Amino acid sequence: MKLSLVIPCYNEEENVKEFYRCVKGCFDGKIDTEDYEFVFVDDGSRDNTLSELRELSAAKAGNIKVISFSRNFGKESAIYAGMTRAAGDNVCIIDADLQQRPEVVLRMMEILESKPELDCVAAYQEKRKEGKGISLAKTLFYKLIDNMAEVEFVNGASDFRLMKRTMVNAVLNMTEYHRFSKGIFSWVGFNTEYIPYEVAEREHGESKWNTGKLIKYALDGIVAFTTAPLKIAIGIGFGFSFLSMLYLVVVVVQKLFFGIDVPGYATIIVLILLLGGLILFCLGIIGEYVAKMYVQVKNRPIFIEREYFESKDADD
Ligand code: UDP
Ligand code: MG
């Protein structure tokens, strides 16, 4: 098996069959049917995604594997689950909504085959199609996390990528519960080439992301891949201690040498509030890390499979 396509699907009833047809049409004559497989992961969809997948599988017109979760575990878990079932020498992660075109997968295959030193070809969005505000926020986020974390984060890079088996196995070995795939893919290393691609419009269904989810995702990413916020907390503490020492000297000099009574009420109130706020802020940062540790030590599974079925191309 040359290629496994890992496809996370959450409420994609209108897309899965079209995705399948589109890939078939695109790969026709370029990769033999028996050389690639679809690994669909139904991430606890509430619509008819699973029955659509069942119909696809029953038609036996390709190698299809379907994993269905017991509930919605999120795209990151779906990617992981799909990778555990993928049998291909190369694994490509691709969305079910056809925003990421199968033509790009062929281009990735060509690049990977023509450059043996590469382990992975990842696609990044050259031009973001979202509004200016969200696009700027995302660019800033990538700059920030790239600077803070020891691993590289490429602006616009998505999970859309083709990986060789060695890299896939490395990713599968990363069994952390809070999965931030972009970080995991960089963390495992390997030679990756980034190619630009254009995101197509979503034709059916709607994006599962909203601003609140994006912010949570961004914060999770930061906590998962860098401890810089803890260092910032130390920096704030150190800075304030230093300033307070200086101020202490000023107050002592004023009192002893100039006999100036220091009027205090406003200063004290402001300082108490400011310091109280900062202490809570720093505690919150620590709390984030402790909470993540707490969930991790419970060692819960990354996903729970409710059902698994597969079908092979009838020609075999
Ligand atoms: N997805 C998933 N689980 C979720 C949310 C999304 O498996 O909880 C899948 C979704 O079905 C799609 C892919 O992840 O195939 C990308 O999601 P979406 O299109 O909503 O994201 P966007 O393209 O807007 O970034
Ligand atoms: Mg999409």
Side-chain angles (χ1 to χ4, degrees):
M1 181 83 57
K2 252 191 185 166
L3 171 67
S4 299
L5 295 173
V6 168
I7 312 130
C9 312
Y10 178 54
N11 295 348
E12 304 281 6
E13 58 180 2
E14 290 153 309
N15 289 320
V16 285
K17 279 187 182 157
E18 201 171 319
F19 173 86
Y20 170 83
R21 271 196 297 273
C22 192
V23 170
K24 280 249 148 179
C26 176
F27 285 9
D28 191 32
K30 302 202 172 79
I31 310 181
D32 290 340
T33 322
E34 64 268 20
D35 277 344
Y36 67 96
E37 64 174 2
F38 297 82
V39 185
F40 288 101
V41 185
D42 164 38
D43 183 10
S45 299
R46 289 165 196 277
D47 63 359
N48 289 323
T49 305
L50 185 60
S51 46
E52 292 286 302
L53 289 173
R54 231 185 273 283
E55 280 174 35
L56 258 187
S57 168
K60 295 195 186 305
N63 298 313
I64 296 178
K65 293 176 175 168
V66 177
I67 304 162
S68 181
F69 284 179
S70 60
R71 66 169 169 86
N72 179 246
F73 279 86
K75 182 180 177 187
E76 309 285 330
S77 305
I79 291 175
Y80 184 81
M83 284 170 79
T84 59
R85 293 283 187 180
D89 299 329
N90 303 297
V91 174
C92 181
I93 294 159
I94 182 167
D95 288 354
D97 54 13
L98 283 169
Q99 286 190 283
Q100 303 172 338
R101 308 300 304 182
E103 292 81 17
V104 183
V105 179
L106 288 179
R107 219 166 81 218
M108 289 176 172
M109 281 292 273
E110 266 168 32
I111 296 176
L112 207 60
E113 273 164 12
S114 66
K115 298 184 184 168
E117 72 279 8
L118 282 183
D119 303 295
C120 173
V121 182
Y124 70 92
Q125 259 173 278
E126 221 173 4
K127 285 192 210 88
R128 290 191 186 279
K129 285 203 167 156
E130 308 106 330
K132 279 234 162 60
I134 202 115
S135 175
L136 181 72
K138 282 189 179 175
T139 308
L140 281 178
F141 165 72
Y142 278 108
K143 280 232 161 70
L144 183 77
I145 193 166
D146 193 37
N147 277 323
M148 290 198 302
E150 62 192 60
V151 294
E152 184 194 24
F153 285 85
V154 175
N155 184 13
S158 55
D159 305 321
F160 185 26
R161 61 181 63 219
L162 180 70
M163 288 170 277
K164 277 192 183 158
R165 178 48 57 186
T166 37
M167 180 162 171
V168 173
N169 290 343
V171 172
L172 285 174
N173 271 329
M174 309 261 296
T175 52
E176 61 214 68
Y177 185 81
H178 296 280
R179 306 187 71 76
F180 186 69
S181 290
K182 292 178 181 101
I184 291 176
F185 293 141
S186 309
W187 196 90
V188 293
F190 295 99
N191 296 326
T192 303
E193 181 166 318
Y194 290 90
I195 59 166
Y197 85 110
E198 210 171 303
V199 176
E201 291 294 330
R202 188 181 242 279
E203 278 170 33
H204 306 284
E206 52 192 33
S207 171
K208 277 83 197 173
W209 295 96
N210 53 37
T211 315
K213 272 195 180 168
L214 277 177
I215 292 175
K216 185 177 172 297
Y217 184 67
L219 291 179
D220 279 351
I222 291 176
V223 175
F225 277 91
T226 162
T227 49
L230 293 173
K231 298 199 178 89
I232 294 172
I234 296 176
I236 293 175
F238 188 76
F240 268 85
S241 309
F242 182 69
L243 289 177
S244 67
M245 295 283 195
L246 289 184
Y247 192 57
L248 182 91
V249 173
V250 172
V251 172
V252 168
V253 169
Q254 278 182 332
K255 181 78 190 162
L256 288 185
F257 296 99
F258 302 102
I260 303 171
D261 253 346
V262 187
Y265 180 71
T267 327
I268 288 172
I269 290 291
V270 169
L271 279 181
I272 287 178
L273 291 178
L274 176 72
L275 289 179
L278 278 175
I279 291 168
L280 285 179
F281 173 73
C282 293
L283 270 181
I285 294 179
I286 299 169
E288 258 318 291
Y289 285 88
V290 175
K292 293 269 179 330
M293 271 162 56
Y294 173 61
V295 175
Q296 180 66 48
V297 294
K298 286 200 239 183
N299 221 354
R300 287 185 178 158
I302 297 168
F303 63 92
I304 296 173
E305 223 172 76
R306 197 177 72 84
E307 204 181 332
Y308 173 78
F309 53 90
E310 57 180 62
S311 70
K312 285 217 164 2
D313 192 349
D315 298 342
D316 284 5

